Amino acid sequence: MKKILVGYIIDGKHSGIDKYLLNFLDIVHNKDIQIDFLTTKKEKDIAECLKKYNSKLIEVPRLVHPIRKYKALKKIYKEGNYDIAYLNISESFNCISAIAAKRSGVKKVVIHSHSSGSSKSSKLKRNIFTFLNYIFRVILYRFGDLFLACSKEAGEWLYPKQILKSDKFKIIYNMIDFEKFRYNNEIREKMRKELEIEEKFVIGHIGNFVYQKNHKFIIKIFEELSKENNKYHLLLIGEGDEFDQIKDLVKTLGLENRITFTGVVNNANHYLQAMDLFILPSNFEGLPISRDRS
């Protein structure tokens, strides 16, 4: 039986990487593969979800404790006798898992890039994280065997040119089950009735409330549209660090009755049916997963 250790998963809900990993588990799981997951904070819900796959959720220290993290990972790799480390990351300075895997004798280390920029709200922090990412790229690639990315841009963000030009680099586009997103008028009418937006022209967005997703720009666009026509309605799905800030902005602009905040939902495909127009004016993307697993 092959044993794969996958990093990193958070709670299975908020992160695009989480959703990708759970779909990955659905597809590749079988009796001949044991797939376990790394996390920096063990959440009860995701631990329960993984049980049906006989997958373990293993907690390790956060990156702010690099030495503790490295020692913990080496112990996990050695005691678990893993054949493959499959590391899904967004910044190259999160390279400790790859280093620990290689130095623990893991046969194959696969690194998968899912982003093309830093999502820190502060411009100063973004610049610092971007600088660190470019510095650590020359370290990260030395400890991998296969380098994946969800897009060309995501590859260019995480890997140096010599990797991008080699046969070790592959682009793997995010998978989508198209059947879940086919137009369904029954679901559309049901959702629009529940949301009390039956007579509205609905503009929608799905994504974490973070710098990357550019919610301030969305509100700016909607404010201008609202001046032209009172039938426009904005539907925002998700949560995040900037959630309260955006709600305060909406209140300041007097748009509370024209914007619906749903929080995190487990049937985003149904909410998409309710929309007339979907927008995604991100500051950057790897390759977006504006959906869920339902």
Side-chain angles (χ1 to χ4, degrees):
M1 176 186 286
K2 289 280 187 182
K3 296 189 68 178
I4 304 175
L5 186 59
V6 178
Y8 284 87
I9 198 164
I10 302 173
D11 58 10
K13 299 176 182 178
H14 296 81
S15 165
I17 294 178
D18 280 16
K19 293 166 187 174
Y20 165 81
L21 289 178
L22 290 175
N23 279 302
F24 161 79
L25 182 60
D26 273 337
I27 293 171
V28 305
H29 171 74
N30 61 54
K31 62 182 180 181
D32 296 320
I33 304 175
Q34 172 67 36
I35 303 173
D36 297 329
F37 289 83
L38 292 169
T39 185
T40 55
K41 185 179 180 182
K42 205 166 188 177
E43 298 282 353
K44 183 179 178 180
D45 289 346
I46 188 64
E48 286 297 318
C49 173
L50 294 177
K51 278 185 179 180
K52 65 181 178 182
Y53 301 102
N54 294 317
S55 294
K56 299 176 185 176
L57 185 63
I58 306 168
E59 186 173 347
V60 295
R62 295 173 58 217
L63 193 58
V64 292
H65 305 290
I67 296 175
R68 284 173 52 199
K69 186 181 185 78
Y70 176 74
K71 289 181 178 179
L73 284 164
K74 281 199 72 175
K75 183 178 180 181
I76 291 164
Y77 284 125
K78 286 182 177 180
E79 292 183 355
N81 292 313
Y82 290 100
D83 301 287
I84 300 171
Y86 177 38
L87 305 172
N88 296 263
I89 58 178
S90 298
E91 296 98 359
S92 63
F93 50 80
N94 194 359
C95 58
I96 293 176
S97 299
I99 297 172
K102 269 296 179 188
R103 291 182 175 173
S104 300
V106 175
K107 297 174 185 176
K108 192 162 190 175
V109 178
V110 181
I111 300 169
H112 199 154
S113 174
H114 288 273
S115 186
S116 60
S118 171
S119 194
K120 296 297 179 183
S121 297
S122 162
K123 185 177 180 179
L124 176 61
K125 286 185 178 180
R126 283 199 306 276
N127 289 339
I128 292 172
F129 274 61
T130 299
F131 174 75
L132 290 173
N133 178 71
Y134 279 90
I135 292 296
F136 278 87
R137 290 193 312 174
V138 299
I139 297 174
L140 177 67
Y141 89 90
R142 299 175 187 276
F143 296 92
D145 299 298
L146 178 62
F147 302 87
L148 307 177
C150 61
S151 67
K152 178 184 176 184
E153 291 77 12
E156 291 172 343
W157 165 253
L158 201 65
Y159 310 127
K161 288 182 179 179
Q162 60 262 47
I163 290 298
L164 300 177
K165 294 178 179 180
S166 74
D167 57 4
K168 292 183 178 181
F169 174 68
K170 306 290 182 185
I171 294 176
I172 307 292
Y173 295 112
N174 297 330
M175 52 198 167
I176 295 174
D177 183 350
F178 289 105
E179 289 301 318
K180 294 179 181 178
F181 300 93
R182 290 191 185 278
Y183 178 76
N184 186 308
N185 191 61
E186 183 179 345
I187 295 175
R188 174 180 170 83
E189 291 183 354
K190 176 178 178 290
M191 293 301 298
R192 288 172 71 91
K193 185 175 182 179
E194 288 180 4
L195 294 165
E196 299 180 354
I197 52 175
E198 294 168 275
E199 305 300 321
K200 302 294 185 179
F201 184 91
V202 181
I203 302 167
H205 177 270
I206 302 172
N208 291 332
F209 282 68
V210 293
Y211 166 79
Q212 175 186 356
K213 301 300 181 181
N214 207 8
H215 282 83
K216 290 180 182 178
F217 184 62
I218 294 174
I219 301 303
K220 183 179 180 180
I221 293 172
F222 186 72
E223 181 188 15
E224 294 302 314
L225 288 173
S226 298
K227 295 174 182 177
E228 298 181 8
N229 194 317
N230 61 10
K231 282 197 171 184
Y232 289 119
H233 193 89
L234 183 60
L235 184 59
L236 298 177
I237 299 168
E239 291 179 354
D241 294 341
E242 296 185 358
F243 184 80
D244 291 336
Q245 182 183 347
I246 297 301
K247 289 198 77 172
D248 288 342
L249 175 60
V250 167
K251 186 175 181 180
T252 299
L253 296 173
L255 296 172
E256 305 103 299
N257 295 328
R258 306 187 68 172
I259 299 178
T260 299
F261 293 86
T262 69
V264 175
V265 301
N266 60 10
N267 59 338
N269 55 326
H270 287 188
Y271 282 83
L272 282 165
Q273 297 280 354
M275 300 174 190
D276 296 291
L277 176 68
F278 178 81
I279 60 174
L280 191 72
S282 303
N283 284 306
F284 64 88
E285 287 286 351
L287 190 67
I289 309 178
S290 297
R291 58 188 177 86
D292 58 31
R293 305 182 64 243
S294 61

